[in-house]
Amino acid sequence: MNSIRTTPTLHDVAIQSGVSTATVSRCLNFPEQVSDKTREKVMRAVDALGYSPNFGARVMASQRTNTIGAIIPTMENAVFARGIQAFQEELNAHGYTLLVASSSYRADLEEQQVRSLVARGADALLLIGHDRDPSIYEFLNAQKVPCLVTWAFDASAGRPSVGFDNRLAMHNMAKVVLNHGHRKLALISADVAANDRARARLDGMRDALAEAGLDAGALAVIETPYGIDSGARAFEQLMQAPDRPTAVFCGNDVLAVGAVGKAREMGLGVPDDVSIIGFDDIELARVAYPKLTTVHVPHREMGRRAARALVDTLKTGEPIEPQELAADLRLRESHGPVPKGR
Amino acid sequence: MNSIRTTPTLHDVAIQSGVSTATVSRCLNFPEQVSDKTREKVMRAVDALGYSPNFGARVMASQRTNTIGAIIPTMENAVFARGIQAFQEELNAHGYTLLVASSSYRADLEEQQVRSLVARGADALLLIGHDRDPSIYEFLNAQKVPCLVTWAFDASAGRPSVGFDNRLAMHNMAKVVLNHGHRKLALISADVAANDRARARLDGMRDALAEAGLDAGALAVIETPYGIDSGARAFEQLMQAPDRPTAVFCGNDVLAVGAVGKAREMGLGVPDDVSIIGFDDIELARVAYPKLTTVHVPHREMGRRAARALVDTLKTGEPIEPQELAADLRLRESHGPVPKGR
DNA sequence: TGTCGCAATGTAAGCCTTTACATTCCGGCA
DNA sequence: TGCCGGAATGTAAAGGCTTACATTGCGACA
């Protein structure tokens, strides 16, 4: 009909089907409010024109986007990729769409992403860990954008979280290793100052050491960026020290897998010469040889629950109920008793 | 000032800084068009009020979202996660935002996601592989949403792609293995009917077999879903057959890693008793023991180039230039000569 | 000093949908 | 037949921004 080919609008559909725009809108959003006859007529016009509603206009008129934003440190780590996948699936099931951004573990980038997601109309935000500039929380507050922290749990944070107790989980794992007789431990960790999960995990190890009556000297700590190669290098450095550890803990499985590979290169048996412990329990952990002893992070469950919590709060307006999940141990093949004579 | 706390609008900023809304808008979008003095004044007001533009309104007024959509089969496979990460980084660098959806390898879900992304105003779309109902391409065409296929390259498809030749890559790999004397091959593949990449890879193997003068009987094919355990099960099934293959190709590294694990369980040496070949070259491949011989998929490069191509076409209006990338072989430790006596 | 031209700024229309409120329709009941 | 009430539908405003076009301001030049 129209010689100038342009994408059809609600108005076009209304004309084509001989009703008002309000009726067309209702057909699409509240079909039960419209008589069968009219609805059918309208739907035929929608199909005929290939109409699809304009998101921007809809957002503007209804004042909500049905979009939830999430900022993760990186998609490269499977543990985040999978957590976010579960998050997305649950969101979709409730009619919400996910907008993801990754911060590359950089606070400045993260802040920028928060603003960008809010500007794009995210109705709510999912963030990893509690640590960030208070001004960000103030901003979200002022914009009335609910925000949920995950991957960590802190009942005292004054803001809801759905996660697990990083400190306790690491504490438990360290206890197991200490019970195997190890007395010289090491930790290959992410940047402790900038990362509250890393800090909590380190604290967990210290808790276990203190409990066992050992002093801080029994723990060597190396901070390093994320990556297999970083893990390998850090491990090498540890093993070249005069007083090498008998058990090396890693802040995540990727670092641990790097350590395991380097151990093989160096001719060190795992766990016969050195125990290596991971954190996260991603696929990599089961694939590594030997299979990694690690802390299981319930990433999928966290993703699902976080999604539900956020959807609930948006629908009901009630504040989010914090939820603590368990992170249990997966004692596999990469840990063992202290080597003889050490 | 305002007792009713509401998020500030352009208008509020305009009043606060004593200029018109147009000037504020220009300050934000084309700062060079505004005098230094005015810009400074406006920016102060923006900061003071904590203004951030309303996305919906902006979209509606400007008729573009600066958002590009991508639909991948799953975020769970690192090869997609990383490709998309690179895609996103490049997009961000050009001021675009990424909207991802995952289809779980299901055509019906994918179609739904295409519509949803377009409805949400995606200016362009990135899709994996060529195979899909023609009506989807018609829809995108009608909506004038440019779309780019990646992870595959087909100059004859009549639609642009940025990818590599799956068939040729697999052909090359199979040639190497055949040159090692293998005559009984197997392939653990994704669903061939529903997945053009899987089909191309299978065809590539057949090409190599034909070239070597072998008939179809020399190749056993098992189709299976994605996953480590699926790979393990398929491998077991192959090795229990009366006439077991001496080289097992896998449609991706995840399946291959499952196969390697099962081989170890079965007491089979890799590559002494059986060669196992992957595809993708994700981290897993280097971590597996033995290290996986595999086809390197240039996922990052594909992501980056796809992003650039899409941004270019949106900015210039020129059609997208197809680009073929190389997918070369990574001959590592999991392949070897045929076992003696076979 | 008066003009010209360009840079800076202002005015107001338009983008498309949702939704509060108004109107119409229609069957049922007195 | 007339009236009532609720369901169905219509009217029109509002939502915040961009941008074409109009206006103003100002320095340079004659």
Side-chain angles (χ1 to χ4, degrees):
Chain A
M1 325 291 148
N2 226 329
S3 70
I4 298 152
R5 242 259 191 258
T6 173
T7 67
T9 71
L10 238 211
H11 186 233
D12 298 331
V13 176
I15 291 179
Q16 168 103 5
S17 51
V19 301
S20 74
T21 58
T23 301
V24 177
S25 174
R26 278 189 284 257
C27 273
L28 266 27
N29 297 300
F30 313 96
E32 71 285 0
Q33 288 180 15
V34 174
S35 75
D36 292 2
K37 211 174 49 174
T38 308
R39 179 155 16 96
E40 203 182 315
K41 202 167 50 180
V42 170
M43 286 318 196
R44 245 198 319 270
V46 166
D47 281 349
L49 294 171
Y51 169 75
S52 88
N54 177 306
F55 177 68
R58 172 175 277 188
V59 166
M60 204 164 101
S62 69
Q63 302 288 47
R64 59 194 131 69
T65 59
N66 282 0
T67 296
I68 290 181
I71 303 175
I72 57 175
T74 174
M75 215 112 104
E76 306 234 332
N77 188 337
V79 83
F80 294 123
R82 296 185 163 208
I84 224 66
Q85 167 91 14
F87 185 68
Q88 182 190 34
E89 284 168 10
E90 191 72 25
L91 246 34
N92 282 348
H94 292 278
Y96 281 79
T97 300
L98 172 65
L99 213 48
V100 224
S102 43
S103 67
S104 308
Y105 285 102
R106 281 177 46 192
D108 56 333
L109 274 186
E110 197 201 39
E111 172 152 8
Q112 203 178 304
Q113 318 259 29
V114 168
R115 288 178 192 280
S116 152
L117 289 178
V118 169
R120 302 184 78 82
D123 291 337
L125 240 50
L126 182 75
L127 299 172
I128 306 283
H130 286 278
D131 250 19
R132 52 184 56 80
D133 197 292
S135 70
I136 298 184
Y137 291 114
E138 280 161 26
F139 170 76
L140 290 172
N141 224 27
Q143 299 277 331
K144 301 218 207 329
V145 175
C147 132
L148 174 57
V149 164
T150 186
W151 237 264
F153 180 81
D154 183 350
S156 69
R159 113 189 91 251
S161 45
V162 168
F164 59 96
D165 186 332
N166 283 276
R167 181 170 185 162
L168 179 64
M170 196 56 136
H171 182 168
N172 288 337
M173 179 58 95
K175 245 181 346 200
V176 168
V177 171
L178 289 170
N179 282 343
H180 272 87
H182 293 269
R183 286 300 172 267
K184 286 296 298 174
L185 308 188
L187 172 64
I188 303 177
S189 169
D191 181 359
V192 167
N195 181 322
D196 54 352
R197 284 93 62 211
R199 202 161 50 242
R201 291 173 197 179
L202 171 56
D203 287 341
M205 285 197 72
R206 290 195 171 133
D207 292 346
L209 288 172
E211 212 173 62
L214 297 169
D215 65 11
L219 177 63
V221 178
I222 294 193
E223 297 178 49
T224 182
Y226 172 84
I228 292 192
D229 297 332
S230 303
R233 269 193 300 275
F235 180 81
E236 186 168 32
Q237 193 181 329
L238 284 171
M239 299 320 271
Q240 282 168 345
D243 195 12
R244 40 158 87 168
T246 61
V248 176
F249 287 68
C250 299
N252 62 53
D253 286 347
V254 172
L255 293 172
V257 155
V260 166
K262 178 57 79 176
R264 184 156 48 234
E265 259 178 46
M266 296 173 76
L268 292 170
V270 177
D272 294 344
D273 295 318
V274 58
S275 288
I276 295 179
I277 317 293
F279 204 111
D280 281 350
D281 192 25
I282 53 178
E283 216 159 50
L284 230 50
R286 286 194 302 141
V287 164
Y289 182 71
K291 291 184 184 150
L292 232 48
T293 288
T294 191
V295 176
H296 175 74
V297 170
H299 45 270
R300 283 209 173 75
E301 185 66 16
M302 271 193 305
R304 267 194 298 271
R305 294 221 198 179
R308 273 203 289 270
L310 247 11
V311 169
D312 278 355
T313 195
L314 286 175
K315 290 207 167 138
T316 67
E318 304 281 312
I320 299 173
E321 195 64 39
Q323 295 177 47
E324 181 168 7
L325 278 68
D328 40 52
L329 309 183
R330 294 292 146 91
L331 304 176
R332 293 200 269 249
E333 306 166 355
S334 68
H335 78 291
V338 202
K340 297 223 156 56
R342 299 278 328 259
Chain B
M1 335 283 147
N2 225 328
S3 72
I4 297 150
R5 243 258 189 258
T6 173
T7 68
T9 71
L10 238 213
H11 187 232
D12 297 331
V13 177
I15 291 179
Q16 169 104 3
S17 51
V19 301
S20 73
T21 58
T23 301
V24 178
S25 174
R26 279 189 283 257
C27 274
L28 266 26
N29 298 300
F30 313 97
E32 72 284 0
Q33 288 182 14
V34 173
S35 76
D36 291 3
K37 212 175 51 178
T38 308
R39 178 154 17 95
E40 202 181 316
K41 201 167 52 181
V42 170
M43 286 318 197
R44 245 200 318 272
V46 166
D47 282 350
L49 294 171
Y51 169 75
S52 88
N54 178 308
F55 177 69
R58 171 175 279 189
V59 166
M60 203 163 101
S62 69
Q63 303 288 54
R64 59 193 132 67
T65 59
N66 281 1
T67 294
I68 290 183
I71 304 176
I72 56 175
T74 173
M75 214 112 105
E76 305 236 330
N77 189 336
V79 83
F80 294 124
R82 292 179 167 214
I84 225 66
Q85 166 92 12
F87 185 68
Q88 183 190 33
E89 283 167 8
E90 191 72 25
L91 246 33
N92 282 349
H94 292 277
Y96 282 79
T97 301
L98 172 64
L99 213 48
V100 223
S102 43
S103 67
S104 309
Y105 285 103
R106 284 177 44 193
D108 55 333
L109 273 186
E110 198 201 37
E111 172 152 7
Q112 203 178 301
Q113 319 257 32
V114 168
R115 289 180 190 279
S116 151
L117 289 178
V118 169
R120 301 185 80 81
D123 291 337
L125 241 49
L126 182 75
L127 299 172
I128 307 282
H130 286 278
D131 249 20
R132 52 184 56 82
D133 198 293
S135 69
I136 297 183
Y137 291 115
E138 282 161 25
F139 170 76
L140 290 173
N141 225 27
Q143 300 276 331
K144 301 218 206 332
V145 174
C147 131
L148 174 59
V149 163
T150 185
W151 237 264
F153 181 80
D154 183 351
S156 69
R159 116 188 89 254
S161 44
V162 169
F164 59 97
D165 187 332
N166 283 275
R167 182 170 184 162
L168 179 64
M170 196 57 136
H171 182 167
N172 288 338
M173 181 57 95
K175 245 181 348 200
V176 168
V177 171
L178 289 169
N179 283 343
H180 272 86
H182 293 270
R183 286 302 173 263
K184 288 294 300 176
L185 308 188
L187 173 64
I188 302 176
S189 170
D191 181 0
V192 167
N195 182 324
D196 55 351
R197 284 93 62 212
R199 199 159 56 241
R201 292 173 196 179
L202 172 55
D203 287 342
M205 284 197 73
R206 291 198 172 129
D207 291 346
L209 289 171
E211 212 173 62
L214 296 169
D215 66 9
L219 177 63
V221 178
I222 294 192
E223 297 178 49
T224 181
Y226 173 83
I228 292 192
D229 297 332
S230 303
R233 271 194 299 275
F235 180 80
E236 185 167 33
Q237 192 182 329
L238 283 171
M239 300 319 272
Q240 282 167 347
D243 196 11
R244 41 157 89 168
T246 62
V248 175
F249 288 68
C250 300
N252 62 53
D253 286 347
V254 173
L255 293 171
V257 155
V260 166
K262 178 58 79 174
R264 186 157 45 234
E265 259 179 46
M266 294 172 78
L268 292 169
V270 179
D272 294 343
D273 296 317
V274 57
S275 288
I276 295 179
I277 318 292
F279 203 112
D280 281 351
D281 192 26
I282 54 178
E283 215 160 51
L284 230 50
R286 287 194 303 141
V287 166
Y289 183 69
K291 291 183 185 152
L292 232 46
T293 288
T294 191
V295 176
H296 176 74
V297 170
H299 45 269
R300 283 212 174 73
E301 185 66 16
M302 273 195 303
R304 266 193 299 270
R305 294 222 198 178
R308 273 202 289 268
L310 247 12
V311 168
D312 279 354
T313 195
L314 286 175
K315 290 206 167 141
T316 67
E318 303 282 311
I320 299 172
E321 196 64 38
Q323 295 179 48
E324 180 167 7
L325 278 67
D328 40 52
L329 310 183
R330 294 293 146 91
L331 304 175
R332 293 200 267 249
E333 307 166 354
S334 67
H335 78 293
V338 204
K340 299 222 155 57
R342 299 277 326 259

